[in-house]
Each structure stands twice: as C-alpha cells, then as structure tokens.
Amino acid sequence: MTHTTKVGIAGLGSYVPDRVMTNADIEKLVDTSDDWIVQRTGIKERRIAGPDQDSGAMGAIAAQRALDDAGVDASEVDLILCGTTTPDKPFPTTACHIQDAIGAKNAGGFDINSACTGFVFAFNTGAQFVASGAYKNVLVIGTEKLSTITDWQDRNTCIIFGDAAGAMLLRPLDLAGQGELVGMSISTEGGKDDVLEVPAGGSRQPLGHEEIEQRLQYMRMGGNKVYKFAVSTFSRLVKKHVFTPYGIDDLGLVVPHQVNMRIIESAQERLGLPDEKIFNNIERYGNTASASVPLAFDEAYRTDRLVKGKLVMAPAFGAGLSWGHFLVRW
C-alpha cells in the first residue's frame, strides 16, 4: 500500500446509552437464562438507547468526544463518514444529521452500510482521503441502534445485540502524532444472505402487512454459519496481515469486532494469542455491529492497553458476507 501522506489517529471517542439491559431482564422476555446466555455468548449485559435517541444522536456525542480528544474544532472537519446499519432515516444520511449536531459546517459526509464491518470499511475509506492529500481532517463514526431491528421474541438473536457509538478522527500522521496506519483490507462475498440479514424493508421486499406479521423487519441469523465464518476469518486476517509480515512479538493488541466471546476465544486459541494481546468488552455491551470496533478501541486507548511502538490490529466480519481490517502502529 503506497501513501502520499502517512495517516494517523488523532482522537478517539465513544458513547453508550445509560439504560443497562441485563440477562435477567431478557429472561422476562424469552425462554432463556443468564447461564445459557453467558455460556454461549459471554454477554452479561448490553445498553439500550431511549426512544428519543437515534443513531445520529449517539454518533454525534462520540464524534464530539473524538474531536475534543484531538483538540480539533468541528469547523475544521473536512469529511464525515458514518458506518451504520440503523440509519436515522432511509435518507437523508445519518452523516448529515451528525454534521448538523456537532456544527461541522465545512464538512461533506455520507453513510457506509456494511453491517458489523461498517466502521472498518468507513475507516479504510476515510484513510484514503487523508493519504491522497484531499482532506486533512476526516471524522469516522460507527453508530448503531440495533434494538430497533432486534426481534425481542427470538431468543437466538435478542440476547446478542446492543446500542452504542464510537468515533475516530483521522489526520496526517505529523498532525495526529499517534496511530500510524500501516495496513488495511476490505473483502466481500455475496450470496450469503442466509447467514445474517434483515429480510424485508428494502426494494427487494418492501415492508407490508404480511412481512410485519412474519417479523421480517428484524434481524435473522444462520446459527453455526456465523460461528464458523467469524472464527476462520478472524484467524486468517491476523495470520495474513500480522504474523506473516511482522510476527507475534511485534503485536501489541488485537481489538476485534465484538461478535461473540466464544468466537473470539476460539480464534484466540487458534492463533496462540495470550490474554494480554486481545481486548474484549462484549460482556458489558454485547455486539454493537459497526460501533463495536471504535467503542472497544476507545476503551483500550483510555485504559492504557495500546502499547507505544507496537501494532494494533482491528479485524471485523459480518453480513454480506463482508470482512476487513486496519492495522496501526501505536
């Protein structure tokens, strides 16, 4: 990968709603138990946004925190990229709502919808604008109100997902002073809708009375297909992009998409990664899709888990099928 300008991460921010939904709360909705949920997912609780709080509102808070962390005013932002599967509206874009909310009056913006890989895809897109010299300040956000597309009658999916937002400000490395981008990838394999999808609500199958009765407006997941895909993809990305060109000793931390604790543990075992080289926060937030990586990255940053001079790998994988990563030297 050739850069005209080296790219760095100048600031990070995240936001989670106040409301905590525990496994005990879910026990009241479906036939499940805390032990069953923890054993299969590692999740103990998740956050749920209020009815007056949309993806854009959460994304704006995370975005402002990233700008504050970087010491950059919203008026200096050139571009806003928002990864989300739960936009405020079909249009206009959630990026436009965030632009207005934070007062980024000089910025353009658009959304990137790639489910759980949305933030990584948005990050990689934004990095290209900085690397080319087109823009100096690119705000990248992942924000999700997954509670709005969760079927609270389906115990296989309602135990997994939560609401959150995370953000990063990308700048030329000489201005950012940290987080030098050294690698990234974007991959997709279509025709696998049965692994994870929302069946209705788009142009292929508009939402009508019949679709609503069949609850097709909510997420559906293909069980073991997700597990096998995520474990193999996670392992392959780390082997190919870290172990082969660098080595495990050069790796400071892996900050993966928080898909499921059992998936992360299986991939960790395959890779031979010690606990100190992997970051998990899924037990407190669940799977927050495109918000997952920036939320976890921000927590790792604020708890001093990012080692200066070492590599930080952020792999993600999700519906599409889609997968990708970015790799920075902190």
Side-chain angles (χ1 to χ4, degrees):
M1 182 174 59
T2 302
H3 290 319
T4 302
T5 302
K6 290 184 177 181
V7 181
I9 301 172
L12 298 94
S14 60
Y15 173 79
V16 293
D18 291 334
R19 181 188 170 192
V20 176
M21 176 179 275
T22 66
N23 290 345
D25 294 325
I26 292 183
E27 287 175 357
K28 300 171 185 176
L29 302 175
V30 292
D31 181 17
T32 191
S33 69
D34 176 65
D35 288 344
W36 191 89
I37 296 170
V38 173
Q39 182 181 354
R40 285 160 178 77
T41 69
I43 299 167
K44 296 181 179 178
E45 59 187 40
R46 68 287 296 148
R47 300 299 181 95
I48 304 296
D52 59 344
Q53 192 171 44
D54 54 31
S55 294
M58 292 188 290
I61 296 172
Q64 186 60 58
R65 288 175 177 174
L67 290 174
D68 291 344
D69 183 50
V72 173
D73 190 80
S75 63
E76 299 178 62
V77 175
D78 302 302
L79 180 66
I80 297 171
L81 302 181
C82 180
T84 186
T85 310
T86 54
D88 298 346
K89 299 177 179 181
F91 64 87
T93 67
T94 303
C96 285
H97 293 166
I98 293 172
Q99 177 204 33
D100 179 62
I102 65 175
K105 57 185 179 181
N106 297 312
F110 55 92
D111 292 355
I112 294 178
N113 179 355
S114 194
C116 296
T117 51
F119 179 82
V120 168
F121 282 17
F123 180 102
N124 292 358
T125 302
Q128 301 289 356
F129 281 96
V130 178
S132 70
Y135 294 129
K136 188 174 290 185
N137 295 299
V138 176
L139 192 55
V140 185
I141 301 150
T143 182
E144 301 284 10
K145 191 175 182 179
L146 295 173
S147 57
T148 60
I149 59 170
T150 295
D151 186 347
W152 296 103
Q153 297 179 16
D154 177 12
R155 76 169 190 166
N156 292 316
T157 56
C158 74
I159 63 174
I160 296 171
F161 300 100
D163 303 334
M168 296 183 185
L169 181 69
L170 305 183
R171 305 190 82 190
L173 182 61
D174 60 346
L175 297 176
Q178 62 186 9
E180 178 186 358
L181 179 64
V182 296
M184 57 186 177
S185 68
I186 290 175
S187 299
T188 56
E189 181 184 1
K192 300 290 192 297
D193 289 12
D194 61 325
V195 177
L196 186 61
E197 65 171 339
V198 174
S203 62
R204 178 174 290 185
Q205 188 173 4
L207 200 59
H209 293 297
E210 184 176 338
E211 286 75 18
I212 291 174
E213 288 177 0
Q214 296 177 28
R215 307 184 72 79
L216 300 183
Q217 72 271 38
Y218 298 123
M219 284 184 283
R220 290 190 172 184
M221 190 166 59
N224 288 336
K225 294 177 181 178
V226 173
Y227 183 90
K228 292 176 181 177
F229 162 66
V231 172
S232 63
T233 301
F234 185 165
S235 303
R236 187 173 69 252
L237 285 170
V238 175
K239 287 178 180 177
K240 180 179 179 180
H241 298 288
V242 179
F243 288 3
T244 300
Y246 299 100
I248 191 171
D249 291 340
D250 207 17
L251 176 65
L253 195 66
V254 178
V255 184
H257 163 49
Q258 304 291 302
V259 56
N260 177 307
M261 183 65 84
R262 303 301 161 244
I263 289 172
I264 295 172
E265 288 175 342
S266 294
Q268 181 182 355
E269 185 177 353
R270 281 194 189 186
L271 294 165
L273 287 175
D275 289 345
E276 64 267 19
K277 287 186 181 288
I278 195 156
F279 187 86
N280 297 305
N281 64 2
I282 192 171
E283 68 172 14
R284 290 179 286 119
Y285 303 122
N287 180 336
T288 58
S290 68
S292 166
V293 167
L295 172 62
F297 211 110
D298 185 43
E299 285 207 346
Y301 170 62
R302 296 182 190 283
T303 54
D304 297 321
R305 292 287 303 278
L306 306 182
V307 183
K308 195 70 176 175
K310 293 286 189 177
L311 296 170
V312 185
M313 168 74 159
F317 20 83
L321 297 170
S322 59
W323 62 96
H325 85 289
F326 62 86
L327 182 68
V328 300
R329 188 174 294 280
W330 201 256

PDB file of all heavy atoms in Angstrom, residues 55-84:
ATOM      1  N   SER A  55     -29.533   6.823  16.112  1.00  0.00           N
ATOM      2  CA  SER A  55     -28.119   6.545  15.822  1.00  0.00           C
ATOM      3  C   SER A  55     -27.321   7.829  15.646  1.00  0.00           C
ATOM      4  O   SER A  55     -26.181   7.928  16.096  1.00  0.00           O
ATOM      5  CB  SER A  55     -28.014   5.691  14.556  1.00  0.00           C
ATOM      6  OG  SER A  55     -28.562   4.412  14.758  1.00  0.00           O
ATOM      7  N   GLY A  56     -27.922   8.808  14.990  1.00  0.00           N
ATOM      8  CA  GLY A  56     -27.227  10.073  14.772  1.00  0.00           C
ATOM      9  C   GLY A  56     -26.903  10.795  16.060  1.00  0.00           C
ATOM     10  O   GLY A  56     -25.811  11.362  16.222  1.00  0.00           O
ATOM     11  N   ALA A  57     -27.833  10.791  17.006  1.00  0.00           N
ATOM     12  CA  ALA A  57     -27.610  11.456  18.292  1.00  0.00           C
ATOM     13  C   ALA A  57     -26.455  10.812  19.047  1.00  0.00           C
ATOM     14  O   ALA A  57     -25.593  11.508  19.611  1.00  0.00           O
ATOM     15  CB  ALA A  57     -28.884  11.416  19.125  1.00  0.00           C
ATOM     16  N   MET A  58     -26.422   9.482  19.065  1.00  0.00           N
ATOM     17  CA  MET A  58     -25.320   8.788  19.733  1.00  0.00           C
ATOM     18  C   MET A  58     -24.004   9.026  19.001  1.00  0.00           C
ATOM     19  O   MET A  58     -22.959   9.263  19.623  1.00  0.00           O
ATOM     20  CB  MET A  58     -25.622   7.286  19.822  1.00  0.00           C
ATOM     21  CG  MET A  58     -26.764   6.942  20.745  1.00  0.00           C
ATOM     22  SD  MET A  58     -26.945   5.157  21.017  1.00  0.00           S
ATOM     23  CE  MET A  58     -27.529   4.630  19.397  1.00  0.00           C
ATOM     24  N   GLY A  59     -24.057   8.960  17.662  1.00  0.00           N
ATOM     25  CA  GLY A  59     -22.854   9.186  16.864  1.00  0.00           C
ATOM     26  C   GLY A  59     -22.291  10.576  17.051  1.00  0.00           C
ATOM     27  O   GLY A  59     -21.063  10.768  17.056  1.00  0.00           O
ATOM     28  N   ALA A  60     -23.163  11.562  17.223  1.00  0.00           N
ATOM     29  CA  ALA A  60     -22.711  12.943  17.411  1.00  0.00           C
ATOM     30  C   ALA A  60     -21.952  13.101  18.722  1.00  0.00           C
ATOM     31  O   ALA A  60     -20.948  13.822  18.791  1.00  0.00           O
ATOM     32  CB  ALA A  60     -23.901  13.894  17.369  1.00  0.00           C
ATOM     33  N   ILE A  61     -22.406  12.430  19.780  1.00  0.00           N
ATOM     34  CA  ILE A  61     -21.704  12.504  21.067  1.00  0.00           C
ATOM     35  C   ILE A  61     -20.318  11.882  20.946  1.00  0.00           C
ATOM     36  O   ILE A  61     -19.312  12.454  21.394  1.00  0.00           O
ATOM     37  CB  ILE A  61     -22.519  11.811  22.167  1.00  0.00           C
ATOM     38  CG1 ILE A  61     -23.840  12.538  22.394  1.00  0.00           C
ATOM     39  CG2 ILE A  61     -21.713  11.763  23.470  1.00  0.00           C
ATOM     40  CD1 ILE A  61     -24.802  11.818  23.325  1.00  0.00           C
ATOM     41  N   ALA A  62     -20.251  10.697  20.338  1.00  0.00           N
ATOM     42  CA  ALA A  62     -18.957  10.035  20.154  1.00  0.00           C
ATOM     43  C   ALA A  62     -18.034  10.871  19.286  1.00  0.00           C
ATOM     44  O   ALA A  62     -16.829  10.995  19.566  1.00  0.00           O
ATOM     45  CB  ALA A  62     -19.160   8.654  19.532  1.00  0.00           C
ATOM     46  N   ALA A  63     -18.586  11.466  18.245  1.00  0.00           N
ATOM     47  CA  ALA A  63     -17.794  12.294  17.332  1.00  0.00           C
ATOM     48  C   ALA A  63     -17.216  13.511  18.047  1.00  0.00           C
ATOM     49  O   ALA A  63     -16.034  13.850  17.888  1.00  0.00           O
ATOM     50  CB  ALA A  63     -18.656  12.743  16.154  1.00  0.00           C
ATOM     51  N   GLN A  64     -18.039  14.172  18.852  1.00  0.00           N
ATOM     52  CA  GLN A  64     -17.563  15.352  19.580  1.00  0.00           C
ATOM     53  C   GLN A  64     -16.474  14.974  20.573  1.00  0.00           C
ATOM     54  O   GLN A  64     -15.492  15.714  20.748  1.00  0.00           O
ATOM     55  CB  GLN A  64     -18.722  16.032  20.308  1.00  0.00           C
ATOM     56  CG  GLN A  64     -18.351  17.356  20.966  1.00  0.00           C
ATOM     57  CD  GLN A  64     -17.846  18.374  19.959  1.00  0.00           C
ATOM     58  OE1 GLN A  64     -18.545  18.730  19.007  1.00  0.00           O
ATOM     59  NE2 GLN A  64     -16.614  18.849  20.136  1.00  0.00           N
ATOM     60  N   ARG A  65     -16.608  13.810  21.188  1.00  0.00           N
ATOM     61  CA  ARG A  65     -15.577  13.355  22.130  1.00  0.00           C
ATOM     62  C   ARG A  65     -14.265  13.061  21.413  1.00  0.00           C
ATOM     63  O   ARG A  65     -13.185  13.327  21.958  1.00  0.00           O
ATOM     64  CB  ARG A  65     -16.079  12.128  22.884  1.00  0.00           C
ATOM     65  CG  ARG A  65     -17.173  12.468  23.896  1.00  0.00           C
ATOM     66  CD  ARG A  65     -17.773  11.240  24.569  1.00  0.00           C
ATOM     67  NE  ARG A  65     -18.756  11.641  25.577  1.00  0.00           N
ATOM     68  CZ  ARG A  65     -19.531  10.812  26.263  1.00  0.00           C
ATOM     69  NH1 ARG A  65     -19.427   9.496  26.059  1.00  0.00           N
ATOM     70  NH2 ARG A  65     -20.385  11.266  27.154  1.00  0.00           N
ATOM     71  N   ALA A  66     -14.339  12.534  20.202  1.00  0.00           N
ATOM     72  CA  ALA A  66     -13.125  12.296  19.419  1.00  0.00           C
ATOM     73  C   ALA A  66     -12.463  13.611  19.031  1.00  0.00           C
ATOM     74  O   ALA A  66     -11.229  13.735  19.071  1.00  0.00           O
ATOM     75  CB  ALA A  66     -13.452  11.478  18.178  1.00  0.00           C
ATOM     76  N   LEU A  67     -13.263  14.597  18.649  1.00  0.00           N
ATOM     77  CA  LEU A  67     -12.719  15.918  18.314  1.00  0.00           C
ATOM     78  C   LEU A  67     -12.087  16.575  19.537  1.00  0.00           C
ATOM     79  O   LEU A  67     -10.999  17.168  19.448  1.00  0.00           O
ATOM     80  CB  LEU A  67     -13.830  16.818  17.752  1.00  0.00           C
ATOM     81  CG  LEU A  67     -14.378  16.465  16.380  1.00  0.00           C
ATOM     82  CD1 LEU A  67     -15.567  17.352  16.047  1.00  0.00           C
ATOM     83  CD2 LEU A  67     -13.295  16.621  15.312  1.00  0.00           C
ATOM     84  N   ASP A  68     -12.752  16.463  20.680  1.00  0.00           N
ATOM     85  CA  ASP A  68     -12.199  17.033  21.913  1.00  0.00           C
ATOM     86  C   ASP A  68     -10.873  16.368  22.263  1.00  0.00           C
ATOM     87  O   ASP A  68      -9.921  17.038  22.698  1.00  0.00           O
ATOM     88  CB  ASP A  68     -13.188  16.858  23.070  1.00  0.00           C
ATOM     89  CG  ASP A  68     -14.439  17.707  22.910  1.00  0.00           C
ATOM     90  OD1 ASP A  68     -14.428  18.645  22.093  1.00  0.00           O
ATOM     91  OD2 ASP A  68     -15.434  17.414  23.604  1.00  0.00           O
ATOM     92  N   ASP A  69     -10.816  15.049  22.084  1.00  0.00           N
ATOM     93  CA  ASP A  69      -9.589  14.310  22.375  1.00  0.00           C
ATOM     94  C   ASP A  69      -8.444  14.763  21.483  1.00  0.00           C
ATOM     95  O   ASP A  69      -7.289  14.851  21.918  1.00  0.00           O
ATOM     96  CB  ASP A  69      -9.834  12.809  22.193  1.00  0.00           C
ATOM     97  CG  ASP A  69      -8.622  11.977  22.549  1.00  0.00           C
ATOM     98  OD1 ASP A  69      -8.064  12.175  23.640  1.00  0.00           O
ATOM     99  OD2 ASP A  69      -8.221  11.117  21.737  1.00  0.00           O
ATOM    100  N   ALA A  70      -8.774  15.091  20.224  1.00  0.00           N
ATOM    101  CA  ALA A  70      -7.758  15.531  19.260  1.00  0.00           C
ATOM    102  C   ALA A  70      -7.445  17.017  19.375  1.00  0.00           C
ATOM    103  O   ALA A  70      -6.435  17.480  18.825  1.00  0.00           O
ATOM    104  CB  ALA A  70      -8.224  15.218  17.837  1.00  0.00           C
ATOM    105  N   GLY A  71      -8.302  17.750  20.057  1.00  0.00           N
ATOM    106  CA  GLY A  71      -8.122  19.204  20.139  1.00  0.00           C
ATOM    107  C   GLY A  71      -8.414  19.901  18.829  1.00  0.00           C
ATOM    108  O   GLY A  71      -7.782  20.909  18.488  1.00  0.00           O
ATOM    109  N   VAL A  72      -9.395  19.385  18.092  1.00  0.00           N
ATOM    110  CA  VAL A  72      -9.763  19.934  16.788  1.00  0.00           C
ATOM    111  C   VAL A  72     -11.201  20.423  16.843  1.00  0.00           C
ATOM    112  O   VAL A  72     -12.082  19.731  17.352  1.00  0.00           O
ATOM    113  CB  VAL A  72      -9.608  18.869  15.680  1.00  0.00           C
ATOM    114  CG1 VAL A  72     -10.153  19.366  14.348  1.00  0.00           C
ATOM    115  CG2 VAL A  72      -8.145  18.474  15.531  1.00  0.00           C
ATOM    116  N   ASP A  73     -11.457  21.614  16.313  1.00  0.00           N
ATOM    117  CA  ASP A  73     -12.798  22.175  16.293  1.00  0.00           C
ATOM    118  C   ASP A  73     -13.607  21.554  15.163  1.00  0.00           C
ATOM    119  O   ASP A  73     -13.066  21.223  14.101  1.00  0.00           O
ATOM    120  CB  ASP A  73     -12.741  23.693  16.108  1.00  0.00           C
ATOM    121  CG  ASP A  73     -14.093  24.350  16.316  1.00  0.00           C
ATOM    122  OD1 ASP A  73     -14.477  24.561  17.486  1.00  0.00           O
ATOM    123  OD2 ASP A  73     -14.775  24.632  15.306  1.00  0.00           O
ATOM    124  N   ALA A  74     -14.911  21.416  15.377  1.00  0.00           N
ATOM    125  CA  ALA A  74     -15.782  20.810  14.368  1.00  0.00           C
ATOM    126  C   ALA A  74     -15.728  21.560  13.034  1.00  0.00           C
ATOM    127  O   ALA A  74     -15.900  20.953  11.969  1.00  0.00           O
ATOM    128  CB  ALA A  74     -17.209  20.747  14.876  1.00  0.00           C
ATOM    129  N   SER A  75     -15.474  22.848  13.076  1.00  0.00           N
ATOM    130  CA  SER A  75     -15.417  23.635  11.843  1.00  0.00           C
ATOM    131  C   SER A  75     -14.226  23.252  10.968  1.00  0.00           C
ATOM    132  O   SER A  75     -14.195  23.578   9.772  1.00  0.00           O
ATOM    133  CB  SER A  75     -15.335  25.128  12.180  1.00  0.00           C
ATOM    134  OG  SER A  75     -14.134  25.419  12.893  1.00  0.00           O
ATOM    135  N   GLU A  76     -13.243  22.546  11.533  1.00  0.00           N
ATOM    136  CA  GLU A  76     -12.073  22.128  10.775  1.00  0.00           C
ATOM    137  C   GLU A  76     -12.259  20.781  10.073  1.00  0.00           C
ATOM    138  O   GLU A  76     -11.415  20.371   9.274  1.00  0.00           O
ATOM    139  CB  GLU A  76     -10.866  22.033  11.708  1.00  0.00           C
ATOM    140  CG  GLU A  76     -10.472  23.339  12.377  1.00  0.00           C
ATOM    141  CD  GLU A  76      -9.307  23.154  13.323  1.00  0.00           C
ATOM    142  OE1 GLU A  76      -8.216  22.760  12.850  1.00  0.00           O
ATOM    143  OE2 GLU A  76      -9.487  23.370  14.541  1.00  0.00           O
ATOM    144  N   VAL A  77     -13.358  20.078  10.390  1.00  0.00           N
ATOM    145  CA  VAL A  77     -13.593  18.761   9.798  1.00  0.00           C
ATOM    146  C   VAL A  77     -13.940  18.906   8.320  1.00  0.00           C
ATOM    147  O   VAL A  77     -14.796  19.709   7.945  1.00  0.00           O
ATOM    148  CB  VAL A  77     -14.725  18.018  10.543  1.00  0.00           C
ATOM    149  CG1 VAL A  77     -15.048  16.699   9.850  1.00  0.00           C
ATOM    150  CG2 VAL A  77     -14.329  17.775  11.993  1.00  0.00           C
ATOM    151  N   ASP A  78     -13.268  18.108   7.490  1.00  0.00           N
ATOM    152  CA  ASP A  78     -13.497  18.139   6.047  1.00  0.00           C
ATOM    153  C   ASP A  78     -14.532  17.126   5.580  1.00  0.00           C
ATOM    154  O   ASP A  78     -15.246  17.357   4.597  1.00  0.00           O
ATOM    155  CB  ASP A  78     -12.184  17.853   5.296  1.00  0.00           C
ATOM    156  CG  ASP A  78     -11.087  18.830   5.645  1.00  0.00           C
ATOM    157  OD1 ASP A  78     -11.299  20.042   5.451  1.00  0.00           O
ATOM    158  OD2 ASP A  78     -10.018  18.394   6.117  1.00  0.00           O
ATOM    159  N   LEU A  79     -14.577  15.981   6.256  1.00  0.00           N
ATOM    160  CA  LEU A  79     -15.423  14.883   5.787  1.00  0.00           C
ATOM    161  C   LEU A  79     -15.889  14.055   6.977  1.00  0.00           C
ATOM    162  O   LEU A  79     -15.108  13.791   7.895  1.00  0.00           O
ATOM    163  CB  LEU A  79     -14.633  13.993   4.817  1.00  0.00           C
ATOM    164  CG  LEU A  79     -15.355  12.788   4.208  1.00  0.00           C
ATOM    165  CD1 LEU A  79     -16.491  13.251   3.295  1.00  0.00           C
ATOM    166  CD2 LEU A  79     -14.383  11.910   3.433  1.00  0.00           C
ATOM    167  N   ILE A  80     -17.149  13.618   6.931  1.00  0.00           N
ATOM    168  CA  ILE A  80     -17.733  12.747   7.955  1.00  0.00           C
ATOM    169  C   ILE A  80     -18.208  11.468   7.278  1.00  0.00           C
ATOM    170  O   ILE A  80     -19.033  11.509   6.355  1.00  0.00           O
ATOM    171  CB  ILE A  80     -18.916  13.419   8.670  1.00  0.00           C
ATOM    172  CG1 ILE A  80     -18.447  14.679   9.413  1.00  0.00           C
ATOM    173  CG2 ILE A  80     -19.585  12.452   9.646  1.00  0.00           C
ATOM    174  CD1 ILE A  80     -19.575  15.521   9.977  1.00  0.00           C
ATOM    175  N   LEU A  81     -17.683  10.337   7.727  1.00  0.00           N
ATOM    176  CA  LEU A  81     -18.112   9.037   7.225  1.00  0.00           C
ATOM    177  C   LEU A  81     -18.778   8.280   8.369  1.00  0.00           C
ATOM    178  O   LEU A  81     -18.172   8.111   9.424  1.00  0.00           O
ATOM    179  CB  LEU A  81     -16.926   8.238   6.694  1.00  0.00           C
ATOM    180  CG  LEU A  81     -16.112   8.890   5.577  1.00  0.00           C
ATOM    181  CD1 LEU A  81     -14.983   7.979   5.132  1.00  0.00           C
ATOM    182  CD2 LEU A  81     -17.013   9.228   4.390  1.00  0.00           C
ATOM    183  N   CYS A  82     -19.999   7.834   8.152  1.00  0.00           N
ATOM    184  CA  CYS A  82     -20.754   7.174   9.207  1.00  0.00           C
ATOM    185  C   CYS A  82     -21.074   5.736   8.816  1.00  0.00           C
ATOM    186  O   CYS A  82     -21.838   5.496   7.876  1.00  0.00           O
ATOM    187  CB  CYS A  82     -22.047   7.940   9.491  1.00  0.00           C
ATOM    188  SG  CYS A  82     -23.047   7.191  10.792  1.00  0.00           S
ATOM    189  N   GLY A  83     -20.491   4.788   9.533  1.00  0.00           N
ATOM    190  CA  GLY A  83     -20.839   3.387   9.359  1.00  0.00           C
ATOM    191  C   GLY A  83     -22.054   3.068  10.219  1.00  0.00           C
ATOM    192  O   GLY A  83     -22.004   3.236  11.438  1.00  0.00           O
ATOM    193  N   THR A  84     -23.139   2.629   9.602  1.00  0.00           N
ATOM    194  CA  THR A  84     -24.336   2.282  10.366  1.00  0.00           C
ATOM    195  C   THR A  84     -25.237   1.349   9.573  1.00  0.00           C
ATOM    196  O   THR A  84     -25.339   1.458   8.352  1.00  0.00           O
ATOM    197  CB  THR A  84     -25.131   3.531  10.794  1.00  0.00           C
ATOM    198  OG1 THR A  84     -26.207   3.140  11.660  1.00  0.00           O
ATOM    199  CG2 THR A  84     -25.674   4.306   9.597  1.00  0.00           C
TER     200      THR A  84
END
